[in-house]
Every structure is written in structure tokens, then in C-alpha cells.
Amino acid sequence: MAANAFLLIAVYVLLLMVLAQPLGRGMARFVADKPLFAGLERPLWRLLGTEQPGMRWPHYLLAILLFNALGLLLLLAILLLQGELPLNPQQLPSLSWHLALNTAVSFVTNTNWQSYGGESTLSYFSQMVGLTVQNFLSAATGIAVAFALIRGFASRSLETLGNAWRDLTRITLYILLPISLLMALFFVSQGSIQNFLPYHSITTLEGAQQTLAMGPVASQEAIKMLGTNGGGFFNVNSAHPFENPNALTNLVQMLSIFLIPAALCFAFGESVKDRRQGNMLLWAMTLMFVVAVSVVMWAEVKGNPHFIALGADSAMNMEGKETRFGILNSSLFAVITTAASCGAVNAMHDSFTALGGMVPMWLMQLGEVVFGGVGAGLYGMLLFVLLAVFIAGLMIGRTPEFLGKKIDVWEMKMTALAILVTPALVLIGTALAMMTDAGRAGMLNPGIHGFSEVLYAVSSAANNNGSAFAGLSANTPFWNLLLASCMLLGRFGIIIPVMAIAGAMAVKKVQPVGNGTLPTHGPLFISLLIGTVLLVGALTFIPALALGPIAEHLNLQVKTS
């Protein structure tokens, strides 16, 4: 089993790097505003009125906020009017106002938290025109913000960060759409469905009646993975054979989740003209990822010692996992989807062991920086790079700098604000849920495990992941509004200071490298960066985790000793 686990992790990482490197080199051309089809774009820019080559950071930020606000209003209208709109063969009614608001915020913020079962709640029109469109646009938003921040570090005393409308258009047309189209065709070839048929009523071999849901699944499945969105067409997400038919599609889905986050690291190195900086980010992310996967695999293979005591042949934990994928692939998928802010699942995280479930939870609580969401993972990790550089500067008594640009008080204030937004949301949101009757009413499990389910849900929402531990009845006004607030603030509460940092860094002049300059590409700095990420996560969340999964694990050990 250990050899199989090692081989699976090694093959996955190798394939990921092989695929991400050329994509990253291509994305660097977009960062540099040198796309292959620049000549063909000019009529489009004139038509859209976006001929201005660059925007200062407040204008870029305003464009991003306006773009997402309009998307939020449009999606909210679609969900509230679903019963009157076409492509609804099952005649599904419109959503309640609080569920519609929660869902609209969820998909606009790239969270894709779902307080509903997709096949029993949403029409084909809502799934396609509402959710799938926002899967593209929310992913494009994250990548565009990452582009702006990269330009801030790469520029030589310029005030502009590019044109937001051009970036959003190019990302959608040249990156997300082509790759998603190829993936959707591949999924169809493997057994995913893509149709507009009404649901089928069939008779099972046992003679029972069953409704077989249909719909345009493959197209949503492709961008849900590539854009690290995660919202499933079906309630069971990627555990459903129509979404994830076999082991090959499972591998492609796992690769697609990390593809753009990894490619952006290569693009960063190309754009700042120092590939070692991109490699530094990749090393830090990959090392933390491999350790996290190893812990979850070990915990799930070790399983529950109660099984042996009750006479079972094995203690391995297969509860909540698809036999098509098994323990190792399910564990790998769980770590990938929570490390990358995706939220898609092919197993029930609530059924993982205490330690096996704690690792995905903590990966979200670290800020989704272990590869992270498309764009969001890169700018989240760069925030920790600035923090690590600041800490190193304090230790050696020098003004901190990164890529030749000095880090001043303003940048550190914005960095601290961005890093602390999501921990504050998680801890305050969890406390609010546990203190109120409306919050506790949604808990189906009492005690330690019930607290873990609440902590996981708020962590997922605030960090824009979207996966769930389950065991929580979240479709109530309290929970829909609480999680919607966490998703909205968790997304734009980070984007705003990140854009401020990008603007501040863009106007700075590059300082020459001296004898006292801290190298930010070697093993020492990689260790410092990893230590900074883990230290912030530990100081913030260890007390909360001690009340949930850690206590659950210790309780299990005491009962079996």
C-alpha cells in the first residue's frame, strides 16, 4: 500500500508539472500584454471601448468589483425567476430568496458552496446560463487579479497594472474556454452525459422505481474543475458516475484542479524574469501538499481500530468512499480539492477519520495557498512571501525587500489585513453559529463531531472552497446568510488589499542587489516561507481544531486503549 501511495503521488506531481509548464509560459505572454492574436483583437477593443492599455490599481479594482456585482445580480435574478424561465423540463420552482442569495454569492465568489441538491433544485437553464457562466467569470476574476499583482512586482516604476476588461476577456476566450471544451469532449467520450432530456423513470432489478436525472453535465464538469469552482451538477458531486465515470476521468479531474494554479507559478517566474522565483513557490506548495496527502492516506489506511476489535478483517476506512476509486485516490482527491479552493468531492469528507478529515480542513484554514484557487492561490502565497521577507528583515536588521523592491509600512499593513480576513471570519462565524439557537439547530450530530462539521462549513465558506463535511442542515435563513457573508467578505476582503499592494509595488523602483540582500529562491527561504504559512495557521486555528478533530482523535484512542 505504501508503494502504491508513493507511486500515485509521484505520477500525479510529475504529470502536473509537465502540463503546467507550457501553459505557464503561455500565460506569461498575457501578463506582458503580448498575446498571439493582438492584431485581431484591436477591432474588439474598439467595439468594447477598452482601447486604454492600462489602469491604475483603483480603476482596475473598480472594474473587477463592478464586473462581479453585475454577475451577482444577474445570477440572483435567474434563480429567483427559475420557474418562469425555459429549459426546465422537470418544472422545478424558483428558489427561496435566502437560498438564491447564498447560491448567487457562492458562484460569483468562486466558492460554489451548495445548500441544495443540484438535480432536485435547479433547472437546466439555471445550471448552464447561471452557474456554468459564473464558473468561467469567477475563475477569470481570480486570474486577472493575479495578473495585476504579477505586473506590480514585474514593472519598473509604472503606475498601471493592465486593463481589467482585456484581461478578463483574454483569460476567458484563450485559456478557460478552449481547455474546458477539450475536457468536456473527453468526459463525454468516457461516459459523462450532455443532454437536455427530461428525467427518466426506470425500474431497477429489484423492481423499485427510480428517477434517473439527465442534463448538460459534462460542460459544467469541465469548468468546475479547471476553474477550481467545485459546484456539482448532482448532489453527490464527482462521486456520481455521470460526473466522474472512471479512474481515468478521476485523474484528469485531479490534474485539471491544480493545472492553472501551478501554471501561474511558472508564469510568475517568467514575468519577473527570474524563473527561480516561480520554482520557489512551486517547491513550497508541493512540499506542503505531499506531506498533507501522506498524512491523509496514512490516516485512512490505518482506519478505525474499532473494526479489528469487532472482528473485521481490516481497519482500513472505506466508509463514504467509492469502490471505483478506493482509499488512495479518494484521499488524494480530498487533499487536492481542499488545497486548491475547488470543493469538488469524490468521497464523503464527513466519513474520513478524525485526522484524515482534519487535514483538508486545515488546508482551507491556511488560506488556500497550497496551490490554491485559480489566481487566488498565487496571490495568497505571495502575501505570505511578503510576510516571510518582513520577518527575515526583522531578524537581520534590514529593510525587507522582494525582487529588488522595498516592502514598506503600507504594504505590510495591507498584507496583514489580507492574511487575517479569513481567520477572523472563520472564528467569529463559528462562534456565532455555536452561540445561537438558529446555528445549533442545523447540527445533526452532537458533541465533538458536530462542532467539526460547523467549523469545516465556515472554514469552507470564508476561504472560498465550497466543500462540506455534511451533517449540517444549511438551507435555513441563518446559515444561508451567515455563509454568504463569509464567502463575500472572504473573497473581496482579500482582493481589495491585494490590489492595493499591486499598485504600491508597481510604482517602486528596483534596487540593485547587494551583499545584504536576502535570496528568495533557495532552500533556506523556502523553509522560511513554509514555516511562516504553518505558524500563522497553527497560532490561529490549533485551539479550534483541538475542540473538534483533535479531540475526536484522542477520544477514539482512549476508547480503544
Side-chain angles (χ1 to χ4, degrees):
M1 185 68 77
N4 291 339
F6 173 80
L7 183 62
L8 178 61
I9 297 171
V11 169
Y12 175 80
V13 172
L14 178 62
L15 288 174
L16 175 66
M17 297 305 165
V18 169
L19 294 171
Q21 186 171 14
L23 179 59
R25 306 284 186 251
M27 294 174 76
R29 296 182 61 89
F30 294 110
V31 176
D33 200 22
K34 296 178 181 178
L36 295 175
F37 309 106
L40 300 176
E41 292 177 346
R42 294 191 185 97
L44 177 62
W45 304 146
R46 284 195 293 268
L47 177 64
L48 298 177
T50 57
E51 295 178 271
Q52 177 186 359
M55 297 177 173
R56 295 171 62 112
W57 78 265
H59 301 143
Y60 198 106
L61 174 61
L62 180 61
I64 291 294
L65 295 178
L66 178 62
F67 179 70
N68 283 270
L70 292 175
L72 175 62
L73 293 175
L74 178 60
L75 180 52
L76 182 61
I78 290 174
L79 297 176
L80 289 174
L81 299 173
Q82 174 178 271
E84 312 302 323
L85 296 173
L87 291 177
N88 188 4
Q90 301 305 119
Q91 299 298 308
L92 296 171
S94 300
L95 276 63
S96 64
W97 68 268
H98 54 86
L99 179 58
L101 178 62
N102 178 279
T103 305
V105 169
S106 178
F107 279 78
V108 167
T109 58
N110 200 245
T111 308
N112 299 59
W113 170 273
Q114 295 173 290
S115 296
Y116 59 88
E119 66 270 45
S120 61
T121 307
L122 296 181
S123 67
Y124 297 162
F125 188 90
S126 296
Q127 294 271 23
M128 283 197 313
V129 181
L131 305 191
T132 304
V133 168
Q134 281 305 317
N135 282 348
F136 280 96
L137 302 185
S138 63
T141 295
I143 299 173
V145 173
F147 279 7
L149 184 59
I150 293 174
R151 292 183 186 121
F153 285 114
S155 70
R156 297 296 182 263
S157 190
L158 296 175
E159 293 187 354
T160 60
L161 297 172
N163 188 296
W165 305 114
R166 290 191 185 188
D167 287 340
L168 291 168
T169 304
R170 286 169 174 166
I171 291 165
T172 304
L173 292 181
Y174 301 154
I175 300 174
L176 299 177
L177 273 173
I179 300 177
S180 295
L181 177 60
L182 293 176
M183 287 178 58
L185 293 174
F186 169 75
F187 289 148
V188 170
S189 73
Q190 296 299 304
S192 292
I193 61 173
Q194 181 75 16
N195 58 51
F196 297 104
L197 299 174
Y199 293 1
H200 295 332
S201 180
I202 63 173
T203 303
T204 67
L205 294 177
E206 292 81 9
Q209 292 297 310
Q210 178 178 335
T211 299
L212 195 61
M214 296 283 105
V217 176
S219 56
Q220 182 169 322
E221 189 71 15
I223 186 58
K224 118 180 179 185
M225 295 300 184
L226 182 66
T228 62
N229 295 282
F233 191 96
F234 298 104
N235 190 36
V236 295
N237 211 281
S238 288
H240 198 292
F242 286 172
E243 287 198 29
N244 193 7
N246 53 49
L248 183 57
T249 59
N250 192 64
L251 175 61
V252 171
Q253 289 186 14
M254 291 191 294
L255 288 170
S256 63
I257 294 172
F258 271 4
L259 179 60
I260 292 179
L264 281 169
C265 294
F266 287 110
F268 178 76
E270 288 287 322
S271 299
V272 300
K273 296 180 173 53
D274 187 353
R275 293 182 178 179
R276 297 174 301 177
Q277 303 299 328
N279 293 338
M280 172 268 295
L281 296 174
L282 281 172
W283 271 108
M285 293 176 177
T286 303
L287 289 173
M288 287 188 285
F289 166 70
V290 169
V291 171
V293 173
S294 301
V295 172
V296 174
M297 287 183 173
W298 170 82
E300 296 306 300
V301 170
K302 184 179 179 182
N304 189 336
H306 281 288
F307 293 166
I308 299 296
L310 294 173
D313 293 333
S314 172
M316 291 191 296
N317 182 30
M318 271 297 294
E319 180 189 338
K321 299 178 178 65
E322 279 287 309
T323 54
R324 290 176 294 150
F325 308 130
I327 288 178
L328 298 183
N329 273 289
S330 298
S331 300
L332 179 60
F333 198 110
V335 172
I336 291 170
T337 195
T338 48
S341 178
C342 180
V345 294
N346 73 348
M348 178 62 73
H349 291 187
D350 196 35
S351 294
F352 278 36
T353 61
L355 293 182
M358 184 187 74
V359 172
M361 189 189 307
W362 201 38
L363 285 170
M364 295 187 296
Q365 293 168 346
L366 291 177
E368 301 283 17
V369 295
V370 182
F371 289 96
V374 287
L378 178 66
Y379 62 69
M381 182 59 90
L382 286 174
L383 292 173
F384 279 102
V385 169
L386 295 180
L387 182 58
V389 167
F390 176 73
I391 293 173
L394 291 177
M395 290 190 293
I396 62 177
R398 287 181 57 89
T399 302
E401 62 180 61
F402 180 55
L403 299 176
K405 298 191 174 186
K406 292 190 178 298
I407 312 300
D408 295 321
V409 175
W410 168 256
E411 291 82 59
M412 286 315 305
K413 286 182 178 178
M414 293 297 102
T415 298
L417 176 62
I419 289 176
L420 294 176
V421 164
T422 52
L425 290 172
V426 172
L427 297 178
I428 294 173
T430 303
L432 183 62
M434 299 304 297
M435 290 168 55
T436 59
D437 293 335
R440 294 192 300 271
M443 299 171 59
L444 299 181
N445 291 293
I448 297 173
H449 195 73
F451 175 80
S452 296
E453 292 168 345
V454 171
L455 180 62
Y456 190 105
V458 183
S459 300
S460 178
N463 290 280
N464 300 133
N465 184 272
S467 65
F469 237 30
L472 187 69
S473 297
N475 188 15
T476 63
F478 173 87
W479 277 105
N480 280 329
L481 292 177
L482 173 65
L483 297 180
S485 301
C486 290
M487 290 185 282
L488 203 60
L489 293 174
R491 176 72 159 179
F492 298 105
I494 295 178
I495 285 179
I496 292 173
V498 164
M499 290 301 305
I501 292 171
M505 299 303 294
V507 299
K508 290 180 181 290
K509 294 182 179 180
V510 177
Q511 306 294 323
V513 177
N515 292 331
T517 302
L518 173 69
T520 56
H521 55 265
L524 179 61
F525 186 78
I526 293 172
S527 301
L528 177 62
L529 177 57
I530 294 175
T532 302
V533 173
L534 297 180
L535 182 61
V536 171
L539 292 175
T540 308
F541 290 109
I542 286 296
L545 293 172
L547 296 175
I550 295 177
E552 187 174 357
H553 174 73
L554 294 177
N555 189 47
L556 180 66
Q557 300 305 313
V558 169
K559 287 183 177 180
T560 57
S561 61

